[in-house]
């Protein structure tokens, strides 16, 4: 691209004068990209939005492929979905499933870890949990960002049910 073509390109894209475009090219060793950046940094505050050569408000949104992301419904739905997923991940990371043996907490780990174990080997994990309940191990959820009352009541019910089965074998 010749210097004249680069000057024309800078003038047409930015709305600066030919002299300003030539100056930008000279100061940037005839590098078009650096000259364009120089023009944007140097002359952007001097331009008027209602200029005949350059209208900053319309320069971007009239380009092919322009999307107004603030009014794009799928973009807004995507953001809402990402927020929901992040909220869920924070909840399952901050809250924990704890194991207690004879009333003392033995171990606790984030619910997310348990979910990963469950996804990879659900039957094995459930079997280990049920067998451990026969040895007086209890499971409960603890944490501040999750209302765990119903889940803990269910876990107590299951533990009580397992205790009844265990006691029926003793008798």
């Amino acid at each position: 691209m010749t210097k004249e073509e680069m000057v024309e390109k800078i003038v047409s894209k930015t709305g600066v004068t030919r002299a300003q475009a030539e100056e930008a090219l000279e100061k940037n060793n005839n590098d078009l990209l650096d000259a364009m950046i120089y023009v944007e940094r140097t002359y952007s505050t001097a331009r008027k939005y209602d200029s005949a050569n350059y209208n900053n408000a319309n320069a971007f949104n009239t380009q092919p492929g322009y999307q107004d992301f603030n009014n794009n419904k799928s973009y807004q739905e995507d953001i809402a979905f990402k927020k929901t997923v992040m909220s869920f991940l924070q909840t399952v990371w901050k809250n924990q499933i704890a194991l207690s043996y004879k009333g003392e907490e033995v171990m606790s780990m984030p619910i997310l870890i348990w979910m990963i174990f469950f996804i990879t080997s659900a039957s094995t994990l459930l079997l280990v949990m049920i067998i451990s309940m026969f040895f007086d191990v209890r499971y409960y959820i603890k944490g501040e960002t999750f209302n765990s009352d119903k889940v803990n009541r269910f876990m107590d019910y299951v533990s009580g049910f397992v205790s009844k089965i265990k006691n029926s074998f003793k008798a």
Side-chain angles (χ1 to χ4, degrees):
M1 182 178 282
T2 67
K3 185 174 181 178
E4 186 61 32
E5 290 173 328
M6 289 191 282
V7 169
E8 287 297 321
K9 182 79 116 180
I10 293 171
V11 169
S12 69
K13 294 291 183 187
T14 63
V16 295
T17 65
R18 292 185 61 75
Q20 291 169 329
E22 288 172 359
E23 174 193 354
L25 278 170
E26 287 172 16
K27 287 189 175 188
N28 292 286
N29 298 324
N30 292 324
D31 185 308
L32 182 61
L33 180 59
D34 288 341
M36 294 280 277
I37 293 169
Y38 174 82
V39 165
E40 286 295 319
R41 288 184 179 157
T42 307
Y43 301 112
S44 65
T45 57
R47 280 191 302 250
K48 302 287 183 208
Y49 286 107
D50 59 351
S51 168
N53 293 330
Y54 186 81
N55 186 336
N56 193 29
N58 293 325
F60 179 70
N61 61 6
T62 58
Q63 298 296 319
Y66 166 77
Q67 287 182 310
D68 184 1
F69 287 110
N70 293 327
N71 295 326
N72 188 331
K73 186 176 180 181
S74 65
Y75 175 76
Q76 297 298 329
E77 290 170 351
D78 189 41
I79 294 294
F81 175 74
K82 287 178 182 177
K83 284 181 180 179
T84 303
V85 168
M86 288 305 296
S87 174
F88 172 76
L89 288 175
Q90 286 175 347
T91 300
V92 296
W93 184 253
K94 288 180 180 178
N95 296 290
Q96 300 179 345
I97 292 182
L99 300 127
S100 67
Y101 178 71
K102 295 185 178 179
E104 287 188 41
E105 185 177 310
V106 177
M107 179 181 110
S108 66
M109 68 176 59
I111 295 172
L112 182 63
I113 303 296
W114 283 89
M115 290 172 64
I116 292 170
F117 287 151
F118 189 79
I119 290 169
T120 57
S121 58
S123 59
T124 305
L125 182 63
L126 288 174
L127 184 63
V128 167
M129 288 176 73
I130 291 171
I131 290 173
S132 67
M133 286 181 189
F134 280 100
F135 296 99
D136 298 324
V137 174
R138 294 202 179 252
Y139 297 89
Y140 61 95
I141 295 178
K142 65 179 187 174
E144 57 199 49
T145 61
F146 179 69
N147 185 3
S148 57
D149 294 338
K150 289 182 181 179
V151 176
N152 286 337
R153 279 196 303 263
F154 176 75
M155 295 299 275
D156 287 340
Y157 172 78
V158 171
S159 293
F161 183 75
V162 169
S163 292
K164 285 181 186 177
I165 292 173
K166 179 177 137 182
N167 291 335
S168 71
F169 284 116
K170 287 183 179 179

